[in-house]
């Protein structure tokens, strides 16, 4: 009986295929540009929000919680069968909402759970993880994801949108002992393996991975405390990681460019 380890340490040795030199070069430039632009936006929005929050504290003004918009794209296998149902993803989404509300004062607003009708290519259905995924992103092998993010969501060429939703893509199998992967600041999407959402299989079902990957997409690195949401490994059913966040993690989340800041003095329901 294999224990699923939802870690991100074991990139597959599978090699990228195809592509001449121009693809990787422009892909690298694109990924680098996205990262640099994302960092600039995070710094700018973080500084602005810190200033606003300080003023609010000084004048005793109430501030409504910030809102993180999340959408889910469920892929189909070669025969056209969806990898999971929309209902199966709900507990993980609700869990992410609970964690971010409780520990970071943020509200998760689910803007859609869609099943992609187009059959994905093999590299999108069974992607590589970590460095492999990053290389594939540079080689253009993640184009399928970006193409289906939706008009409302940043297409990945220019992370110019503050408050862009984060997209969780449900894939079939991620190479290695990995069940979720994020490219961090350089992408507005993360991938998660469909077995995470299969409640009938306690050895793969894990409601923490979606929230963990959202944390990476919002710039959080790994944390060494097993009780923390950003602990790298989670092994259901016995040894699932905790869901705590520290104060500095909360600050990173609240100032992230993906978060729609709560209005001060005039709490409004954005969800
Ligand atoms: Zn991780």
């Amino acid at each position: 009986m294999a224990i699923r380890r939802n870690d991100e340490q074991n990139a597959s040795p599978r090699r990228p295929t195809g592509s001449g030199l121009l693809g990787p070069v422009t892909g690298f430039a694109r990924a680098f540009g996205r990262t640099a632009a994302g960092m600039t936006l995070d710094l700018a929005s973080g500084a602005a929000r810190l200033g606003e929050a300080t003023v609010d504290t000084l004048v005793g003004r109430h501030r409504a919680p910030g809102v993180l918009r999340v959408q889910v794209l469920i892929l189909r296998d070669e025969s056209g069968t969806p990898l999971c149902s929309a209902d199966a993803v709900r507990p993980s989404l609700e869990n992410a909402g609970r964690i971010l509300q409780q520990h970071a004062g943020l509200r998760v607003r689910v803007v859609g759970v869609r099943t992609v009708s187009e059959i994905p290519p093999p590299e999108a259905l069974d992607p590589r993880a970590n460095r492999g995924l990053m290389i594939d992103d540079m080689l253009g092998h993640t184009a399928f994801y970006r193409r289906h993010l939706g008009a409302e969501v940043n297409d990945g060429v220019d992370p110019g949108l503050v408050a862009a939703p984060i997209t969780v893509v449900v894939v079939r199998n991620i190479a290695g002992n990995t069940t979720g992967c994020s490219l961090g600041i350089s992408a507005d999407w993360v991938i998660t393996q469909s077995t995470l959402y299969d409640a009938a299989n306690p050895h793969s079902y894990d409601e923490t991975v979606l929230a963990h990957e959202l944390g990476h997409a919002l710039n959080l690195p790994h944390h060494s405390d097993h009780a923390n949401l950003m602990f790298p490994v989670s092994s259901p059913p016995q040894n699932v990681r905790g869901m705590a966040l520290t104060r500095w993690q909360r600050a990173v989340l609240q100032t992230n460019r993906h978060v729609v800041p709560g209005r001060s003095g005039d709490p409004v329901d954005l969800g």
Side-chain angles (χ1 to χ4, degrees), residues 8 212-213 216 222 230-232 241:
E8 295 156 17
H212 176 93
E213 299 308 332
H216 280 316
H222 281 150
M230 298 314 291
F231 188 72
R241 66 163 74 83

